[in-house]
Amino acid sequence: MWLALIALLLLQACASKPSATSPETDAAAAKEVLPAADLFVPAGNWGKLTDSQPLVAVAALPKPPTTAGAVAQPAFVPQVWLYASPTTQAFLAAAGLDSTMGIRLWEVFLRKYKIPFKKVSSAEQLEQSQPGVLLLPSSVALSDAELRAVVHFRAKGGAVLSTWLTGVRDEKGQWRGFDFMSTALGVKVLGNTQADEEDNFMSTYGDNPVTHALPAGQRIWLERVQGWYPLRLAGGHAAAEVTDWSRNFVLDKPATTAVFDEQMLPSGTYSRSVVLGYPERLWLSADPQQLEAIAHNALMWLLRQPDAYLAAWPEPFDNAVVMAIDTAEVMQESDLQLAQQLEEAGGHGTYFVLGDIAQKSPDILKKLQARGHEIAYMGDSFGGFSDQSTKVQSKRLESMRQLFQNAGMELAADAGFHAPMESYDKTTEKLLREGAFGYYVAFMDATDTRLPVLLDAEPSPETAATPKQIVVLPRTQSGPDDVMEENDPEVGMKIFKGALDVSQRMAALSVLRLPNQSLLTPEQLGEVFGYLKTRKAQTWMVTAAQVNQWWRARERVKVNFQATQGVPVLTVTISGEKSVAGAVAVRVNLPQAYSTLRLTALDAATVIPKVHAVDAWRASVLLDGLKPGRYQWQLAFNPVTQ
C-alpha cells in the first residue's frame, strides 16, 4: 500500500559527494557543454522585487465548503506522471545540451524509493492522465498545448512538482516570459544567483510539510555552474532559501528558492504545488541524501500521504530566541533596566559574565538571578582562548569558577559557557565537553544547521563510565549591536527584524548576542524589545539553560511512522527515567487541508494524547506527561466536509 512508503528512511546511507578531483568528474567536466549566458532567460528579463511582491506570501488557504453545494473533488490517484516534454528536449538538444538528464535523474530516484510513476511525453497523453502528481523537470520550453494540459491537470485536482524554469520558452524557442509560472504555478521569478558568487548554499526550513526530513537551517552546498543558477522566488510558503555560507539576511534581496502551496482553483478543486528553484544539473554534485530528502518529502506531501516528525520546539512555539548578554563591563543599576525590558517582552536572558566582573558586580548579578535570568560563564578575563595550550586553558577555566565562588555567586552545576569574542578552538571544546558544563555557545561553523547539537564527550580509556554529554548552541544570527554597527541604524533595524522573521519561519534557534553596556540608544533598545514582544506568541524567548534542558529532554523521544496493510501507525518511544516534561509534540502532515486527526490506541492501557491543529496542513500530537516506554496509535483522518 502507498502508506507503507512513509516507512522509507530518507536519510539512508548514500554515496558521498563525488570528489572534485576524481578522474571521472574531471572527464565529465571536460566534455560538458555549458549554456550560453542568455539561452534560458534573455538579459534584462528577470523580475524585480517591489512592495507588491513580498518575499513570502501569507494568503491563507480557504477552508473547503461544508454546505450541500460543495464541489465534489475528483478521485486522486497516488501516482506520479513524469513529463518528458518533447519541446524542452528539442530546445536543449539544439543548444548542444543533454536533453534527457533531468528525466533520467528522476527515473532513478523514483525507482530507488519504489514510487509508482509513468513517463508521458506528449500534451495528448498528459490531457488523458488522471489527477495525481505531475512532475515537470526543468521544463524550460513548452508548447501552447503543453501549457493548456498542465493547467487542465491542476483543474482536475492534480498536483504539480516543478523544478527550475518552467514554460519560459515556446515551441520555437522564443522567449515567453514568467507569466506561466506566476499564473499556473503560483510563483514569481525575481532573479537568480548569477551575480552573487557567494550565494551558493541552500538552507531548508524545519518542521515544514515539504522539508521536514532535514533540520532547520540545514546548509546544502550547490555548485555554481554557468547557466544553471538557482532561482529567487516569491509566493506560496517558503521551504528553503539560497544565501551565502553565513546565511546573511540582506534587505530587499529575495532569498526563497523553494515554495509550496495549495489553492482552490476556479473549478472548485484543490490542487497542491511545490516549486524547487534549482535545476537537476545541480544534483550531480550536491549531497544526494539531502536533495533526495527534499524530493521525497515534497512528493509525499503532493501525493497526500500523511507523515509524522518530532517538532523542534515546545508547543505552540515556532522557534526559539536566546538573548545572550555578554557581560564584559562592570554591572550597574542600568543593567536592571535592560533586564526589565526583556521581561516586558515576555522572556528572560542569559548573562555570560567574566570572572573578574563577577567579583565587582555580585549584588547586581544576584538581583538578576532572583528575577529569573540566568548567569553563566564567559571566562576569567576578557581574553580569547584560541591557540592557547591545554594547560593554560584548563587553568583559566578553573580560575573562572574560583572567581565566581569568591564573589559568593552560586551558578548551576552544569552552567554554560560563551568564550570572549567567540575566541575558542578545539582544545577549548574538548575541555568544555570533558568538564561539568551543560552547554556552550559556538560560532555557526559548529554545525550545518540552525538547531542545538547534543554531543558526547570523548570516552576516557581510564574509565568505563558513560561519557558526559554537552549541548552546543550555534550562534547563527547577528545581535542588534552587531547589525547596527555594520549598517545605517535605520537599515540595520530592518535587517535585524527581517532576520528574526526568517528565523521564525525556519523554526530555528537564534542566539542574539548583546553587550551589557550596549551602544544602542534607549529608543533603539526599546524598538528591539518591542519587536520581540510582538513575536512572543510564536517565539519561545528563554534562557540558554532552558534550551539546554529542552534539547536533552527532546533527545529522549523517538518517532516512527509507518503503515501495515494500509493502516497508518504512529510509534513514540521515550527513554530515560522521567516523564516527558514540557510541550513535546509530534507534527503530523494531513492528507487533506483542514482535515482532523483522530488517534486510537493499539493497547488498551495506552493513553490518548491531545491533538490540535497547527495550520491547514499540520496537526500536533502533544506528549505531555507520558512516562518512559513505547506507545502506538492508529491514525485516522476525517475530511473537513464530513
Side-chain angles (χ1 to χ4, degrees):
M1 298 296 293
W2 251 97
L3 288 170
L5 288 174
I6 304 302
L8 290 172
L9 298 176
L10 298 183
L11 301 181
Q12 61 183 311
C14 293
S16 60
K17 183 171 65 178
S19 169
T21 59
S22 67
E24 295 82 359
T25 303
D26 290 343
K31 296 178 181 179
E32 182 178 10
V33 176
L34 297 175
D38 61 350
L39 175 65
F40 300 118
V41 180
N45 281 279
W46 291 108
K48 295 182 180 180
L49 183 65
T50 67
D51 292 339
S52 62
Q53 297 174 347
L55 294 182
V56 178
V58 293
L61 175 73
K63 289 188 177 182
T66 57
T67 62
V71 176
Q73 298 294 308
F76 186 83
V77 180
Q79 177 166 299
V80 173
W81 306 98
L82 176 59
Y83 189 58
S85 166
T87 307
T88 293
Q89 291 183 349
F91 175 74
L92 295 175
L97 303 176
D98 187 341
S99 62
T100 62
M101 175 185 61
I103 300 296
R104 295 198 309 272
L105 287 172
W106 278 106
E107 286 181 307
V108 171
F109 170 84
L110 293 168
R111 290 192 177 101
K112 176 178 180 179
Y113 291 99
K114 298 180 174 60
I115 299 175
F117 77 97
K118 181 178 180 180
K119 186 165 71 172
V120 292
S121 55
S122 71
E124 292 74 20
Q125 289 178 316
L126 190 53
E127 284 283 1
Q128 298 170 7
S129 300
Q130 294 177 289
V133 174
L134 174 61
L135 179 51
L136 300 172
S138 298
S139 303
V140 178
L142 295 173
S143 67
D144 290 344
E146 288 173 310
L147 297 183
R148 289 192 297 269
V150 173
V151 172
H152 187 215
F153 186 87
R154 293 202 71 182
K156 293 187 295 184
V160 175
L161 192 159
S162 170
T163 64
W164 204 44
L165 295 167
T166 304
V168 298
R169 298 274 183 173
D170 63 17
E171 58 267 35
K172 296 181 180 179
Q174 298 299 308
W175 174 246
R176 189 192 291 276
F178 301 116
D179 287 349
F180 178 75
M181 294 186 69
S182 177
T183 58
L185 303 178
V187 297
K188 292 184 180 295
V189 180
L190 304 176
N192 67 2
T193 64
Q194 180 175 359
D196 305 288
E197 294 184 0
E198 301 299 321
D199 289 0
N200 51 4
F201 290 89
M202 181 169 63
S203 294
T204 54
Y205 284 23
D207 292 0
N208 188 288
V210 300
T211 50
H212 59 80
L214 297 174
Q218 176 67 57
R219 188 189 286 116
I220 303 172
W221 176 76
L222 296 177
E223 182 184 9
R224 286 186 63 80
V225 183
Q226 178 181 307
W228 302 103
Y229 301 108
L231 302 179
R232 300 185 184 279
L233 305 173
H237 302 263
E241 61 181 42
V242 60
T243 63
D244 61 8
W245 179 88
S246 63
R247 309 185 188 88
N248 281 330
F249 176 84
V250 180
L251 198 62
D252 296 331
K253 181 179 181 180
T256 299
T257 195
V259 298
F260 70 96
D261 203 1
E262 183 168 8
Q263 299 171 321
M264 185 176 71
L265 303 177
S267 61
T269 60
Y270 286 78
S271 173
R272 292 182 173 182
S273 63
V274 173
V275 179
L276 303 179
Y278 49 91
E280 284 74 15
R281 168 61 184 81
L282 302 189
W283 282 33
L284 300 179
S285 52
D287 187 318
Q289 291 178 307
Q290 296 169 341
L291 292 192
E292 285 183 14
I294 295 173
H296 195 282
N297 278 178
L299 280 174
M300 291 301 102
W301 185 73
L302 293 171
L303 287 162
R304 299 186 179 276
Q305 300 303 302
D307 209 343
Y309 40 97
L310 189 62
W313 303 110
E315 198 75 12
F317 300 114
D318 297 329
N319 66 313
V321 165
V322 171
M323 188 62 73
I325 299 101
D326 282 355
T327 309
E329 303 287 343
V330 175
M331 305 195 73
Q332 304 171 1
E333 288 295 324
S334 59
D335 286 282
L336 298 180
Q337 297 174 6
L338 180 68
Q340 179 68 29
Q341 288 180 292
L342 182 52
E343 292 164 15
E344 291 174 353
H348 290 86
T350 298
Y351 287 76
F352 293 96
V353 185
L354 295 174
D356 55 6
I357 296 300
Q359 287 197 314
K360 301 173 183 177
S361 315
D363 294 339
I364 299 294
L365 291 174
K366 290 176 182 178
K367 289 180 181 180
L368 289 170
Q369 280 183 316
R371 291 167 62 159
H373 299 276
E374 178 194 5
I375 308 300
Y377 297 112
M378 199 175 73
D380 53 343
S381 60
F382 197 72
F385 281 72
S386 182
D387 297 328
Q388 294 182 334
S389 68
T390 300
K391 182 178 180 180
V392 170
Q393 292 198 40
S394 179
K395 185 176 181 179
R396 287 187 63 186
L397 293 175
E398 292 175 6
S399 175
M400 173 187 71
R401 282 183 161 135
Q402 188 61 52
L403 288 169
F404 274 84
Q405 292 177 11
N406 295 343
M409 290 296 305
E410 294 185 7
L411 271 62
D414 62 345
F417 179 83
H418 187 194
M421 302 172 291
E422 261 164 18
S423 173
Y424 65 92
D425 56 20
K426 296 297 182 182
T427 298
T428 320
E429 293 177 335
K430 183 175 184 295
L431 291 171
L432 293 173
R433 291 167 68 174
E434 293 175 348
F437 292 90
Y439 67 90
Y440 65 94
V441 176
F443 188 59
M444 66 181 70
D445 61 354
T447 170
D448 277 332
T449 77
R450 294 191 64 185
L451 292 178
V453 178
L454 184 61
L455 299 177
D456 288 327
E458 296 179 4
S460 171
E462 302 174 358
T463 177
T466 302
K468 298 177 182 178
Q469 292 181 313
I470 191 168
V471 172
V472 180
L473 306 181
R475 193 180 65 82
T476 62
Q477 181 178 340
S478 296
D481 269 63
D482 297 327
V483 176
M484 301 297 182
E485 183 179 353
E486 297 169 359
N487 301 274
D488 173 83
E490 184 176 348
V491 172
M493 186 63 71
K494 291 180 179 179
I495 292 175
F496 175 73
K497 292 178 180 179
L500 275 179
D501 292 345
V502 172
S503 174
Q504 180 185 332
R505 295 196 300 270
M506 193 176 279
L509 167 67
S510 292
V511 179
L512 304 178
R513 183 172 59 185
L514 184 72
N516 71 306
Q517 296 297 320
S518 174
L519 296 178
L520 301 183
T521 66
E523 293 75 18
Q524 289 171 335
L525 280 173
E527 189 171 356
V528 167
F529 288 114
Y531 195 71
L532 286 171
K533 186 176 182 178
T534 66
R535 323 296 292 182
K536 68 178 184 179
Q538 300 86 25
T539 296
W540 193 38
M541 289 184 287
V542 289
T543 66
Q546 287 174 289
V547 173
N548 169 42
Q549 294 164 3
W550 162 259
W551 209 254
R552 292 172 184 273
R554 182 182 178 276
E555 284 290 316
R556 297 194 293 115
V557 181
K558 305 301 178 187
V559 174
N560 180 265
F561 185 62
Q562 56 183 313
T564 302
Q565 297 181 346
V567 178
V569 174
L570 171 63
T571 302
V572 173
T573 305
I574 302 172
S575 60
E577 300 177 354
K578 298 181 180 180
S579 300
V580 173
V584 180
V586 175
R587 294 280 169 84
V588 177
N589 281 358
L590 304 173
Q592 177 183 330
Y594 295 110
S595 56
T596 56
L597 170 63
R598 187 179 74 254
L599 273 63
T600 302
L602 295 186
D603 184 336
T606 299
V607 298
I608 305 295
K610 293 181 179 180
V611 176
H612 72 83
V614 176
D615 53 29
W617 304 289
R618 297 174 298 170
S620 274
V621 178
L622 303 181
L623 308 181
D624 288 4
L626 290 185
K627 299 178 180 179
R630 184 171 180 267
Y631 302 84
Q632 284 192 308
W633 302 279
Q634 180 177 318
L635 275 57
F637 302 91
N638 296 327
V640 71
T641 53
Q642 291 185 356

